[in-house]
Amino acid sequence: GESVGLHLPTLSVQEGDNSIINCAYSNSASDYFIWYKQESGKGPQFIIDIRSNMDKRQGQRVTVLLNKTVKHLSLQIAATQPGDSAVYFCAENTAGYKYIFGTGTRLKVLA
Amino acid sequence: GAGVSQSPSNKVTEKGKDVELRCDPISGHTALYWYRQSLGQGLEFLIYFQGNSAPDKSGLPSDRFSAERTGGSVSTLTIQRTQQEDSAVYLCASSAGGAAEAFFGQGTRLTVV
């Protein structure tokens, strides 16, 4: 498959601190990116997206940064809360074709 | 419907049996995806349908796996002669096509005993 079957890396963050989750994408021609959040026992849910003509996009408590030079995407979560504990996936889309997902990062928020 | 619906939510089957997993995408969505997620792991692409185009089956792990999408709507993923390594959560997603947000169902948890 196109997503590696590795165990997920984990990021532990103190409640109230900011979190930064990173993703390296594979295709330099990808032009649309989404960050998804997956809570235990649920399907992934959309958090924020960005198109390749932008390098930054902000939502509520979340910011996505795109660096096309090094094919890197990051998700910043401000003032991390216990409800942010989940697995986060980045997804890339090229010219409206299928989505390819990154490996995912497990975020653990420490009280 | 309001969202992507998958059934059953849980399925336990004996090794060697065939199973069918169903996905009802959001009405009007032309793109439909199947992914597999093993416990604690990432999303493994299986198959992609887009409109009337031939499906992208490049992610299907073996010829025991097949999927169809009837009338451009409901999709069925079939696993023949199930093996224990097929145990996983099978996720379906749909989108309006192109670079549009993909919406996921809750998944079907398949356990092969």
Side-chain angles (χ1 to χ4, degrees):
Chain A
E2 288 161 317
S3 176
V4 295
L6 300 174
H7 287 286
L8 300 172
T10 299
L11 174 67
S12 296
V13 175
Q14 205 68 36
E15 182 179 355
D17 287 352
N18 297 334
S19 303
I20 300 176
I21 301 170
N22 296 304
C23 175
Y25 63 91
S26 60
N27 189 344
S28 58
S30 290
D31 51 14
Y32 180 59
F33 306 86
I34 299 180
W35 277 100
Y36 282 91
K37 174 185 180 182
Q38 187 178 28
E39 295 176 288
S40 181
K42 298 182 179 179
Q45 289 186 300
F46 173 94
I47 302 175
I48 190 168
D49 61 357
I50 188 168
R51 299 194 182 271
S52 59
N53 61 351
M54 304 172 69
D55 53 20
K56 180 179 180 179
R57 188 153 191 242
Q58 288 184 293
Q60 186 177 16
R61 280 202 308 118
V62 294
T63 300
V64 55
L65 299 177
L66 174 63
N67 185 331
K68 295 182 286 293
T69 303
V70 295
K71 295 189 291 184
H72 184 267
L73 199 64
S74 70
L75 176 71
Q76 299 178 359
I77 304 174
T80 312
Q81 302 170 359
D84 296 327
S85 292
V87 176
Y88 291 82
F89 295 97
C90 66
E92 61 182 299
N93 186 292
T94 307
Y97 196 55
K98 68 187 179 190
Y99 284 92
I100 296 175
F101 282 79
T103 308
T105 297
R106 184 179 306 279
L107 177 65
K108 285 188 176 178
V109 181
L110 308 173
Chain B
V4 178
S5 178
Q6 291 187 245
S7 60
S9 53
N10 281 284
K11 175 73 176 178
V12 180
T13 190
E14 291 181 351
K15 178 181 173 181
K17 300 280 189 184
D18 297 353
V19 294
E20 283 190 352
L21 312 180
R22 177 186 170 105
C23 173
D24 282 272
I26 292 173
S27 178
H29 278 189
T30 58
L32 187 146
Y33 308 79
W34 282 99
Y35 292 89
R36 178 168 73 174
Q37 187 174 35
S38 299
L39 186 63
Q41 296 188 4
L43 296 168
E44 178 187 5
F45 168 76
L46 297 177
I47 189 167
Y48 167 60
F49 297 89
Q50 172 57 58
N52 295 321
S53 302
D56 179 340
K57 304 178 181 181
S58 60
L60 295 178
S62 77
D63 59 8
R64 296 188 295 105
F65 288 71
S66 62
E68 62 178 24
R69 189 178 184 192
T70 52
S73 180
V74 172
S75 177
T76 303
L77 176 69
T78 301
I79 308 173
Q80 296 179 308
R81 305 181 301 282
T82 51
Q83 304 294 314
Q84 287 186 327
E85 60 263 29
D86 298 335
S87 296
V89 175
Y90 290 81
L91 289 161
C92 175
S94 72
S95 75
E101 178 187 347
F103 294 82
F104 281 84
Q106 296 287 74
T108 293
R109 180 176 297 279
L110 175 66
T111 304
V112 182
V113 297

